[in-house]
Amino acid sequence: MIDWTRVAELRDEIGAEDFDEIVEAFLMEVEATLEELPETAGNPSKIEEKLHYLKGSALNLGFSALSDLCQTGESAANAGDANVDLPAVAALYQSSRDHFLRELPKRCAA
């Protein structure tokens, strides 16, 4: 679900203080994008655009399962399929976020 190696790499690259800011920004931006997803229903190009953004953001912060699901949906939308399971994307984000926030303090303890 979470690529903890990627999380540790990012934290090491940017430092603990900046990492916390990145996490906060990621959560806010992804949640805002998820709120917009229902508006894209039936429009493959808009679905593809939103899922592409979510995929990249998720991959950057180590949300690997979410990134994979977004890639699948993005590919389907690119092929013209407007029936991407957008609620599944939101549900996976929620469970990934909960897991991430629960485990992060343990993983970052020095």
Side-chain angles (χ1 to χ4, degrees):
M1 177 174 285
I2 304 294
D3 179 353
W4 291 107
T5 301
R6 174 64 193 138
V7 173
E9 288 170 354
L10 180 62
R11 190 169 189 266
D12 288 345
E13 288 171 11
I14 63 175
E17 186 174 310
D18 289 339
F19 178 78
D20 291 344
E21 291 175 20
I22 293 294
V23 168
E24 185 177 330
F26 165 80
L27 296 175
M28 287 176 31
E29 291 172 9
V30 167
E31 289 172 13
T33 302
L34 288 171
E35 288 178 16
E36 297 169 358
L37 271 183
E39 300 166 15
T40 68
N43 186 334
S45 67
K46 291 290 185 185
I47 293 169
E48 180 183 7
E49 176 186 320
K50 296 295 183 187
L51 292 180
H52 179 78
Y53 171 77
L54 289 171
K55 175 188 71 179
S57 296
L59 195 56
N60 187 48
L61 196 59
F63 282 56
S64 56
L66 178 61
S67 179
D68 291 346
L69 182 59
C70 289
Q71 174 62 56
T72 300
E74 180 185 1
S75 295
N78 181 272
D81 185 357
N83 296 315
V84 175
D85 189 354
L86 300 176
V89 173
L92 182 55
Y93 166 74
Q94 290 291 344
S95 61
S96 297
R97 183 198 69 190
D98 292 348
H99 177 73
F100 179 81
L101 293 175
R102 184 175 51 253
E103 291 294 316
L104 185 62
K106 299 174 203 171
R107 302 269 182 167
C108 291

